[in-house]
């Protein structure tokens, strides 16, 4: 049932946010805070896709490697990557070398490069649920893995040509980017 627990500083946090120092920093300063901007949201979309089937800490600890490998997740630059770049990425030990995820990252950039500025931001944020309609979770068991909104977001992104974004990945994106606040009710970071 895991409810908020005190960290080394005595402040209550979501239990997952205390398992490593990397998580403490991520939990306290980034997770659940609003993210805007097409490139920033593209980065989160890609990282959540790479996380699929893995622990988030694996991705978090390689994030700088991902940023170097994928040109800072600048959509226009990644969209111009060639087959030689794709081959290079498959040998880059600073990232997760999964062919399908790399190909999806490049394909998604090519799709997004054709969108109007702000269009990705607008599409993603149009799926944010009404916060007043969502009670604050008291325990980790109260936090869903998929919601109607994440299913709709996944469908909308897929309909527009994006790959590797199922409802669970879409919900993880919504949590990480502040579309929902799934910090536990007693967590110090809730509403931050």
């Amino acid at each position: 049932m895991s409810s908020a627990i005190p960290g080394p500083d005595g402040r209550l946090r979501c239990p997952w946010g205390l398992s490593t120092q990397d998580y403490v920093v991520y939990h306290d300063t980034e997770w659940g805070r609003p993210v805007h901007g097409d490139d920033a949201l593209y980065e989160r979309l890609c990282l959540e896709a790479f996380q699929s089937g893995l622990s988030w800490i694996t991705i978090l600890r390689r994030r700088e490697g991902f940023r170097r490998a994928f040109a800072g997740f600048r959509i226009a630059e990644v969209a111009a990557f060639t087959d030689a770049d794709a081959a290079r990425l498959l040998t880059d030990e600073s990232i997760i070398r999964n062919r399908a995820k790399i190909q999806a990252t490049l394909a998604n950039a090519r799709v997004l490069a054709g969108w109007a500025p702000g269009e990705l931001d607008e599409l993603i944020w149009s799926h944010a649920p009404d916060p007043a309609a969502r009670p604050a979770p008291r325990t980790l068991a109260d936090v869903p893995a998929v919601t109607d909104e994440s299913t709709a977001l996944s469908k909308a992104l897929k309909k527009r040509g994006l790959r590797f974004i199922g409802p669970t990945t879409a919900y993880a994106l919504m949590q990480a980017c502040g579309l929902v606040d799934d910090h536990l009710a007693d967590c110090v970071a809730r509403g931050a």
Side-chain angles (χ1 to χ4, degrees):
M1 286 238 316
S2 296
S3 52
I5 57 176
D9 59 3
R11 299 186 311 163
L12 295 175
R13 289 183 177 82
C14 302
W16 68 265
L18 290 168
S19 60
T20 71
Q21 184 57 37
D22 292 330
Y23 270 163
V24 172
V25 172
Y26 178 69
H27 171 273
D28 287 3
T29 65
E30 189 172 346
W31 191 76
R33 306 241 173 140
V35 173
H36 286 281
D38 293 341
D39 290 341
L41 288 166
Y42 168 67
E43 174 182 357
R44 300 324 190 285
L45 186 92
C46 294
L47 294 177
E48 293 296 345
F50 271 101
Q51 186 271 329
S52 182
L54 301 170
S55 169
W56 178 246
I57 196 69
T58 302
I59 304 305
L60 188 59
R61 289 180 174 159
R62 293 180 183 216
R63 185 162 54 172
E64 290 309 315
F66 277 107
R67 287 175 173 164
R68 282 189 302 276
F70 288 100
F73 290 100
R74 291 180 294 278
I75 294 168
E77 290 181 39
V78 179
F81 277 22
T82 64
D83 289 342
D85 290 308
R88 169 186 56 81
L89 291 167
L90 285 169
T91 65
D92 189 335
E93 294 181 2
S94 70
I95 66 169
I96 304 301
R97 295 171 291 169
N98 178 296
R99 184 179 306 275
K101 293 175 183 181
I102 290 170
Q103 289 174 342
T105 299
L106 303 183
N108 289 347
R110 291 180 189 119
V111 168
L112 294 171
W115 291 20
E119 194 170 352
L120 178 61
D121 189 301
E122 183 178 327
L123 176 67
I124 288 174
W125 277 91
S126 73
H127 289 82
D130 176 4
R134 292 176 48 96
R138 307 254 0 125
T139 70
L140 293 180
D142 297 333
V143 179
V146 173
T147 62
D148 291 344
E149 294 88 359
S150 74
T151 300
L153 175 58
S154 171
K155 286 179 181 177
L157 291 168
K158 286 180 179 180
K159 184 176 180 181
R160 299 285 307 271
L162 297 183
R163 298 169 23 190
F164 232 103
I165 179 75
T168 303
T169 300
Y171 193 67
L173 174 76
M174 294 171 78
Q175 290 174 304
C177 295
L179 280 77
V180 296
D181 185 353
D182 277 344
H183 286 286
L184 300 181
D186 295 333
C187 177
V188 67
R190 179 150 185 93

